Amino acid sequence: MYDLAVKYGTIVTPDAAYIGNVYSKDGVIQAVTSVEVEEPALEMIDATGQYVLPGVIDTHVHSRDPGPTHKEDFFHSTQAAAAGGVTTLFEMPNTNPPVSDQKNFEKQKAHLEAQAVIDFGLWGIYLGGFNEGELERLGETGIIGFKHFWGYALNRDTYQLVYDYDPKDPNVFMPAHEGQIYSAMQTIAKTGRLLAVHAENHHLIQEETAKIKQAGGSTYEDLLQARPHLAETLTVQTGLQLAERAGVHFHVLHVSAGESVEMIRKAQQRGQRVTVETCPHYLFLSAEDYETVGPRMKIFPPVKYKSDQAKIWGGIADGTISNVCSDHAPHTREEKEGDLWSIPAGSTGVETMLPLMLNAVNEGKLSLEQVVQLLSAGPAELYEIDHQKGKIQAGLDADLVVVDMEQTCVIDENELHSKSKMSAYHGFNVQGMPVHTIAKGRVVMSNAQVTTETNGSLVSPKT
Amino acid sequence: MYDLAVKYGTIVTPDAAYIGNVYSKDGVIQAVTSVEVEEPALEMIDATGQYVLPGVIDTHVHSRDPGPTHKEDFFHSTQAAAAGGVTTLFEMPNTNPPVSDQKNFEKQKAHLEAQAVIDFGLWGIYLGGFNEGELERLGETGIIGFKHFWGYALNRDTYQLVYDYDPKDPNVFMPAHEGQIYSAMQTIAKTGRLLAVHAENHHLIQEETAKIKQAGGSTYEDLLQARPHLAETLTVQTGLQLAERAGVHFHVLHVSAGESVEMIRKAQQRGQRVTVETCPHYLFLSAEDYETVGPRMKIFPPVKYKSDQAKIWGGIADGTISNVCSDHAPHTREEKEGDLWSIPAGSTGVETMLPLMLNAVNEGKLSLEQVVQLLSAGPAELYEIDHQKGKIQAGLDADLVVVDMEQTCVIDENELHSKSKMSAYHGFNVQGMPVHTIAKGRVVMSNAQVTTETNGSLVSPKT
Amino acid sequence: MYDLAVKYGTIVTPDAAYIGNVYSKDGVIQAVTSVEVEEPALEMIDATGQYVLPGVIDTHVHSRDPGPTHKEDFFHSTQAAAAGGVTTLFEMPNTNPPVSDQKNFEKQKAHLEAQAVIDFGLWGIYLGGFNEGELERLGETGIIGFKHFWGYALNRDTYQLVYDYDPKDPNVFMPAHEGQIYSAMQTIAKTGRLLAVHAENHHLIQEETAKIKQAGGSTYEDLLQARPHLAETLTVQTGLQLAERAGVHFHVLHVSAGESVEMIRKAQQRGQRVTVETCPHYLFLSAEDYETVGPRMKIFPPVKYKSDQAKIWGGIADGTISNVCSDHAPHTREEKEGDLWSIPAGSTGVETMLPLMLNAVNEGKLSLEQVVQLLSAGPAELYEIDHQKGKIQAGLDADLVVVDMEQTCVIDENELHSKSKMSAYHGFNVQGMPVHTIAKGRVVMSNAQVTTETNGSLVSPKT
Amino acid sequence: MYDLAVKYGTIVTPDAAYIGNVYSKDGVIQAVTSVEVEEPALEMIDATGQYVLPGVIDTHVHSRDPGPTHKEDFFHSTQAAAAGGVTTLFEMPNTNPPVSDQKNFEKQKAHLEAQAVIDFGLWGIYLGGFNEGELERLGETGIIGFKHFWGYALNRDTYQLVYDYDPKDPNVFMPAHEGQIYSAMQTIAKTGRLLAVHAENHHLIQEETAKIKQAGGSTYEDLLQARPHLAETLTVQTGLQLAERAGVHFHVLHVSAGESVEMIRKAQQRGQRVTVETCPHYLFLSAEDYETVGPRMKIFPPVKYKSDQAKIWGGIADGTISNVCSDHAPHTREEKEGDLWSIPAGSTGVETMLPLMLNAVNEGKLSLEQVVQLLSAGPAELYEIDHQKGKIQAGLDADLVVVDMEQTCVIDENELHSKSKMSAYHGFNVQGMPVHTIAKGRVVMSNAQVTTETNGSLVSPKT
Ligand SMILES: [Zn+2]
Ligand SMILES: [Zn+2]
Ligand SMILES: [Zn+2]
Ligand SMILES: [Zn+2]
Ligand SMILES: [Zn+2]
Ligand SMILES: [Zn+2]
Ligand SMILES: [Zn+2]
Ligand SMILES: [Zn+2]
């Protein structure tokens, strides 16, 4: 007797699609069949005419918990995830306290498991001199990888990352410089984990911002001049050079500039171990949309031009880009009001990512197989959790999302499951929606109804 | 009730390996499971401690049938294939008559199906002016692709390809020139099939050979000077240029020169639809081996140097090379005796390919997942028969090979299943052997015993 | 006492321009000064406000003498040259008889010296099997280099190059194939001379032409389809590969396709000894001009598109292109009448080249220093006659051209000094004209009046 | 009546060599002739059998005047220059006070003209926030270009550049960061001058040095580990990116790492305006020489390995490197004693550069024409003083050096004309020596006797 059978759907893998049935028991896929087995199942989902995908793995989420939980918390973000077909998310480590050592890792694991609707991974943080002595031990916990906010300082009291720091402020822990980062890379290389960076050159942005502000700039175009392409490509290039010598796997987070994709492609072609992700906003928005979308699309690195978008799609097409993730980073409606310089950057994303990608499939921009590669199989392999997640395969976790490629939807931010009811895609029409999300054999979302059970637990890389 | 269950083995896919069971019925995989299903099977293979791979697809075989069947025939070559874990082979079209039009295709299909131990695909031939008017119709049959012997003439009477032709001989059909090939490429592009070429510049070889012979050259080194790297790279480069403009999918057969791999990599990187295969002899032999191996390793294009071998392995490592195949081209022992210039080129290969590749896995040269990609999933996708072959997936043909990675063997050419009892690998020690070959759910080889049943039939690309 | 002083002009070198005086005696520059010397001169040209350039070296001229001298002869072509500021020309070897061996070289030298108004160099020819045994000895004469008409056959009786040959015609000497060319390259490499080729793939053109003609094509666009870019790039790429291995200096004549320039640039960047020339028609005409210019601009390789022109200018800008020459190839007015397929290709050019280049300087397309490099210093160095020609330097031949950058002119083909009164530039307005041409210290043209004295003699490469 | 005639020598230009005579008057070349003119000269040098080169332009000299003049002063450095065939040198701006504004420029000009044996140019300095407001005005003086010591701080009291600064020290002016440098580049681009940088990443060196020192490292190999290739390539790459966007001409000073040359070559090939120089120590020394040469060869950036040397020669061979200069930076003998970490970096060089280069010509490493390009014509063109310097041409300054390619010499540091009697080449045997140096028509060195007359004056770029 199986627990669950998902029948008659088209099962999608990274390189094929075929009609079949998936049977699970105790949270694990037991059988994938072309003809029904005789043995019955307690529960059955009829996926006739629909597609059965491995559950989405969103590798880049800021639930801000513990921290400014008025914006979001882990229970809400994992509910939103389930609503969006996501069955595993990776939580970013810039919480308060940050995931900077073994003790904080254990604390955070316990804190999040208590509220998790779905499984999750944890990022560790590298904070320059603040925790460079902890990296090796932190690497021995179950973290997914190390995250570095290149150029950000740290407030010693609040543990908050500070961008516009005063270098003379005694409470500020100065950003790591190239020498420290190079040393940290050598240490991280030994742990076998990757180093992922938010890549924007702080000093260049500081200088350009001051000039633009002084000239009275206030438009989105001004914002882009103040955080130019060069800010990203400079850090990407520096990181590539340091990482190559240090022998560390280097991962570029949320790529936004077309030229960065080209640099990374070249590095891959000469054999460097470097990967790069992008996010829906870089694929589906561009500066030209600011007039209609407005401040909701202020995200860092900023969404750039159509020409960047085209090159990022080029990176999707030829496999330069390893995965797509949301960079879910909610703020309240009030916080997002005010002038463009002072409102915070970031937006919700975990719930809308899969619908946007399915819609792109319907628009002919990529195939459903590519979606499975970019959202499930790719991240599982990249972060080495493919012994447990990422594909529809006997023996793996029964993480599935059934999608209806015909169903249409107008995205309404008021119906989001996050605490934050703000989305840059509010009002967008999409075709292609998740209709059932199954996490470890349990239905956590069905026709927009999301469970409140918190069965999620930590996922760690193999070995 | 299933027909067959292969249980407890480690199932290998192009990107993972996991313990599981495979159940088949009526020649098709019905279920892939992590736990046994309740339903019984008529026959059971216990693969505990062994690996279960999709059956090998050997895309390049010369069974010479009809033709000089004293060297080989289709019954023997398909038996040899089954012995070597191969469940599908593609037969080359330079038979007598050649597969040059619809009528010959149908005749050849019937002729081979009568003797086929396993499934097979058929190559069509492009023979310059001889059959350029037939290409479109030939493309509508079930051929796998078009093969062109670049620079070879055709004898009008015997339908034999002629290399050292006399341009004034009225019986000789002249080789196609660049203009004809370009036109043929445009026609073939419309059929949706690929054009595969034996790439060696005839005129250069003719000139260099004459010079070397005149100087009294007779060693393997002399042979290599007479058929230099340049002969291959020249035709590869010309083919790449013509194919790019013609918009045809260009496939380079049996690549032997390191520089060719580099040229093709660059073309792929700039987006051209070009693929390339290599063969075990280019991976496991080099000119340095001639002293011990001798004339058995005279194969065209000739096996070159260690430096070429290294670059070909580089093409395996980074995916430039799409698949590995045998170029099985047997001759009798008597024919292979004589001086190096006059003995024929070619060797058996279909039976020894998988053992050599498994041995390379044991030597750490590649992974079992890569073997599955190069020998099964890769060729299935390349030749568009992945709706039926190439993976262990519910709904696909139950083509499997169970391999024992511990079993050792000394290759003995006298025990080959081909008519030809000659192998360049005679006396080689290998570790890693196929122990059961299953074709469409039937065991065609078990512990070196090969079936005599001829259940093979033609496989064609999906639309 | 000097013979001649050219005073007060701006002397132009490949990298500078400065006001000065040039004094010559016995045909040689004796002094270049910033202040007048005390010693007088027999004759003085006041170049105040004008520029003094080294005389132009036109490396690519077909005077057709001996041969179809109703179109042109050497006396007329050298007069035309003098009229156009040219003080040295290189005569192409496809005369009748061709310059295919030592004997013919000596005969041709004597024949031309009798009529030469200016100095000249002689190309030798490589004609495949016809004279492959003569190459070494021919290289020991004073030829400038070897020319090969890739893909052209030779009529044994008339010594005429034949393009649309019948391969079965016993009178036809078949074109050299890649093997022969490779051998010839190895021989030529030993002579120290370069091998220059007319690079267009004959077979491709033959095939495409047949198709286009059959479809009734008759426009210039049809002509371009029949002789596509691919015809040039294919031969360029093949030649590059062969030459690299053979170790010969490879020179691509009259480049017409933008992509060829890119291929050659890459070869230069990886260190290959390859050079390339272009002609005024590829710089100043494009397919778009056919409507106004008409059949006069039928030249092989054909003038292509604006996009090619742009890339050729790119090759001028970055130095990929070594020199500009005319490919002067006159036909009579009657011969140029008829349908586009049947009229001969080629046009006059030696007299209009410098005016067109000077006009381009006035239009800001290049500098006068670049003109000196491309027309004088560059070719002198390339063909190793810089011990005697190409610069304004004490001790070198007093070959000078005084140009007036203000003078305007409407090009009138009826006033050309060639026998042929046909020019593709008839009616063009240019600004910048040669006003005095001085060859070995003698004024051969002054204000459009050309000498009839025949003081020209053969120039040979040093060593 | 001329002032001076240099007769019968072989005049060398960047692309030719010919026997001739040079006549000068009032400091300017009046005539270059192949045959003697009738007019006499006051003074005559017979250069029969010798070579006449344009005087050397050494673009990188630290005379430390005003400043630590116990090491060197301008009178001594210009005497040393004259002794070494140098007729123009460019003085570095990190004097005390530095050449950071118009006032200091004028002061320095006057200060140096009072003691200059030969002509000189002046570098301006860019010192981050210290003088970023002065750049435009400084660009309007006659400076040769802007120099930036990337990553160096400035002591507000002593105006000394500080490498190992304490970021909390209130007297320290912090190094410019990427944002400031980018802004400065935009400003400098407007001045039309170039920006030259000492390219070594400070933070990386600081970190690596600390680690190596802590591990007790004390050898030259340890020094190289502490200032690795990466330190240079990181800054070169960052500078290239910033400069490309800012549109400034970027010049990399004293390149020492092979990989830097490759990066710059690629940037040049894609059209960026970037140039690079190297110094004799990178061409003639490598880490392997430390055992024999010792601490005298401690220079920053440090002399690296044979493999770097080979790539730097590659940059000479293909023109990637624009010029060779000395980085003359003397210290006293006492200062150069002590442990490798604490002794100062830098060495004399202005007097030994030309002999070392001539010796390299005799060794076949490059041609005399290339020496003229790298030491005279190249720097004159790069720094836009070719309207006055860099070639032997009527109308230019009569700056000449007569060299004897047969004369041998053992370099003896005790005979140097600098205050510092220290040379990394002490004891080297060289063949090829300057025998007469002529500056603006005056003999300033003849057979090792150097003038004490101070006729030097400032040279400025044209426009
Ligand atoms: Zn970020
Ligand atoms: Zn983020
Ligand atoms: Zn073949
Ligand atoms: Zn074959
Ligand atoms: Zn031609
Ligand atoms: Zn021509
Ligand atoms: Zn420096
Ligand atoms: Zn310096």
Side-chain angles (χ1 to χ4, degrees), chain A residues 37-327:
Chain A
V37 297
E38 290 184 354
E39 221 171 333
L42 276 176
E43 191 178 353
M44 197 272 267
I45 289 175
D46 182 337
T48 306
Q50 300 176 327
Y51 294 84
V52 185
L53 281 56
V56 170
I57 300 169
D58 187 346
T59 62
H60 192 151
V61 172
H62 300 266
S63 303
R64 313 185 177 298
D65 187 350
T69 44
H70 65 286
K71 299 173 189 241
E72 183 68 298
D73 61 26
F74 203 61
F75 175 70
H76 282 86
S77 70
T78 50
Q79 271 202 322
V86 176
T87 53
T88 308
L89 65 74
F90 294 172
E91 179 64 17
M92 277 292 165
N94 56 324
T95 41
N96 187 343
V99 184
S100 56
D101 58 21
Q102 282 195 343
K103 195 173 53 61
N104 286 354
F105 172 82
E106 294 302 337
K107 235 162 63 180
Q108 179 70 336
K109 172 179 184 300
H111 178 68
L112 298 186
E113 281 190 336
Q115 342 168 31
V117 171
I118 58 165
D119 282 0
F120 62 94
L122 277 182
W123 284 94
I125 202 162
Y126 161 57
L127 278 170
F130 180 79
N131 79 328
E132 65 194 13
E134 300 294 331
L135 300 179
E136 261 188 88
R137 280 187 299 275
L138 186 53
E140 290 161 8
T141 65
I143 59 162
I144 278 302
F146 290 90
K147 162 87 181 264
H148 180 57
F149 293 82
W150 201 301
Y152 283 74
L154 182 76
N155 184 303
R156 289 168 194 272
D157 300 329
T158 62
Y159 290 123
Q160 276 246 277
L161 291 168
V162 193
Y163 202 72
D164 289 313
Y165 60 91
D166 170 3
K168 304 289 181 191
D169 182 344
N171 273 343
V172 161
F173 215 92
M174 296 282 283
H177 57 57
E178 295 90 341
Q180 291 173 293
I181 293 171
Y182 184 55
S183 284
M185 282 175 168
Q186 293 172 315
T187 303
I188 290 170
K190 282 184 268 174
T191 70
R193 299 275 77 88
L194 58 75
L195 174 65
V197 301
H198 177 120
E200 285 192 303
N201 185 290
H202 162 66
H203 285 124
L204 188 73
I205 291 168
Q206 188 184 34
E207 180 88 5
E208 296 304 295
T209 302
K211 284 194 281 189
I212 303 277
K213 279 187 171 176
Q214 203 168 14
S218 65
T219 65
Y220 190 76
E221 184 60 33
D222 292 321
L223 184 80
L224 283 184
Q225 294 307 310
R227 290 183 94 92
H229 291 70
L230 190 52
E232 183 175 294
T233 58
L234 212 54
T235 302
V236 166
Q237 191 67 64
T238 299
L240 284 171
Q241 277 193 274
L242 292 170
E244 188 172 26
R245 304 298 163 101
V248 77
H249 175 174
F250 184 60
H251 182 74
V252 177
L253 296 164
H254 47 45
V255 80
S256 71
E259 203 185 327
S260 301
V261 176
E262 294 170 343
M263 286 171 169
I264 293 163
R265 178 182 291 121
K266 276 186 199 154
Q268 290 174 343
Q269 287 179 351
R270 65 176 182 258
Q272 188 172 349
R273 181 84 180 99
V274 52
T275 48
V276 57
E277 70 188 33
T278 194
C279 308
H281 33 288
Y282 306 116
L283 292 170
F284 303 117
L285 298 175
S286 69
E288 292 77 359
D289 295 312
Y290 186 78
E291 208 177 322
T292 52
V293 174
R296 282 168 175 81
M297 72 179 254
K298 180 181 174 186
I299 296 173
F300 287 162
V303 169
K304 300 188 168 63
Y305 301 102
K306 281 267 172 238
S307 55
D308 294 282
Q309 203 187 69
K311 284 181 183 167
I312 293 171
W313 275 107
I316 294 282
D318 77 350
T320 302
I321 292 174
S322 62
N323 68 304
V324 173
C325 53
S326 71
D327 199 5

Side-chain angles (χ1 to χ4, degrees), chain B residues 60 62 147 149 152 197-200 253-254 300-301 327:
Chain B
H60 192 149
H62 300 266
K147 161 89 180 264
F149 294 81
Y152 283 74
V197 301
H198 177 119
E200 286 192 303
L253 296 164
H254 46 44
F300 287 161
D327 199 4

Side-chain angles (χ1 to χ4, degrees), chain C residues 147 198 254 300 327:
Chain C
K147 161 88 180 265
H198 177 119
H254 47 45
F300 287 160
D327 199 5

Side-chain angles (χ1 to χ4, degrees), chain C residues 4-130:
Chain C
L4 175 72
V6 180
K7 293 191 183 171
Y8 321 129
T10 298
I11 295 169
V12 188
T13 75
D15 48 22
Y18 59 100
I19 290 177
N21 313 300
V22 184
Y23 297 86
S24 80
K25 185 166 183 169
D26 298 336
V28 171
I29 297 173
Q30 299 269 344
V32 183
T33 75
S34 57
V35 174
E36 288 179 65
V37 298
E38 289 183 354
E39 221 172 331
L42 277 175
E43 189 177 355
M44 198 271 271
I45 290 176
D46 183 337
T48 306
Q50 300 176 327
Y51 292 85
V52 185
L53 280 56
V56 170
I57 300 169
D58 188 347
T59 62
H60 193 151
V61 171
H62 300 265
S63 303
R64 314 186 176 296
D65 187 352
T69 44
H70 65 286
K71 299 174 189 240
E72 182 68 299
D73 61 28
F74 203 61
F75 176 68
H76 282 87
S77 69
T78 51
Q79 271 201 322
V86 176
T87 54
T88 307
L89 65 74
F90 295 172
E91 180 64 15
M92 278 293 166
N94 57 323
T95 41
N96 190 340
V99 185
S100 56
D101 59 21
Q102 282 195 342
K103 196 176 51 66
N104 286 354
F105 171 84
E106 294 303 336
K107 232 159 67 179
Q108 179 70 334
K109 173 177 183 300
H111 178 68
L112 298 187
E113 281 189 337
Q115 341 169 32
V117 172
I118 58 166
D119 281 0
F120 63 93
L122 276 182
W123 283 95
I125 202 162
Y126 161 57
L127 278 170
F130 180 80

Side-chain angles (χ1 to χ4, degrees), chain D residues 155-271:
Chain D
N155 184 303
R156 290 168 193 271
D157 300 330
T158 63
Y159 290 122
Q160 273 249 278
L161 290 169
V162 193
Y163 202 71
D164 289 314
Y165 61 91
D166 171 2
K168 304 291 182 190
D169 182 344
N171 273 342
V172 160
F173 216 89
M174 295 283 284
H177 57 60
E178 295 90 342
Q180 291 172 294
I181 294 170
Y182 184 56
S183 284
M185 283 176 166
Q186 293 171 314
T187 305
I188 291 171
K190 282 182 268 174
T191 70
R193 300 274 78 87
L194 58 75
L195 175 64
V197 300
H198 177 120
E200 284 192 304
N201 185 289
H202 163 66
H203 285 124
L204 188 74
I205 291 167
Q206 187 185 37
E207 179 88 6
E208 296 304 294
T209 301
K211 284 194 281 189
I212 304 276
K213 278 186 170 173
Q214 200 168 16
S218 65
T219 64
Y220 190 75
E221 183 61 31
D222 292 321
L223 184 79
L224 283 184
Q225 294 307 309
R227 291 181 93 91
H229 292 69
L230 189 52
E232 184 174 293
T233 57
L234 211 54
T235 302
V236 165
Q237 191 67 64
T238 299
L240 284 172
Q241 278 194 273
L242 292 171
E244 188 171 26
R245 304 299 164 98
V248 77
H249 175 172
F250 184 60
H251 181 75
V252 177
L253 297 164
H254 45 45
V255 80
S256 71
E259 203 184 326
S260 301
V261 176
E262 294 170 342
M263 286 171 169
I264 293 162
R265 177 182 293 121
K266 276 185 200 157
Q268 290 174 345
Q269 286 179 351
R270 66 175 179 258

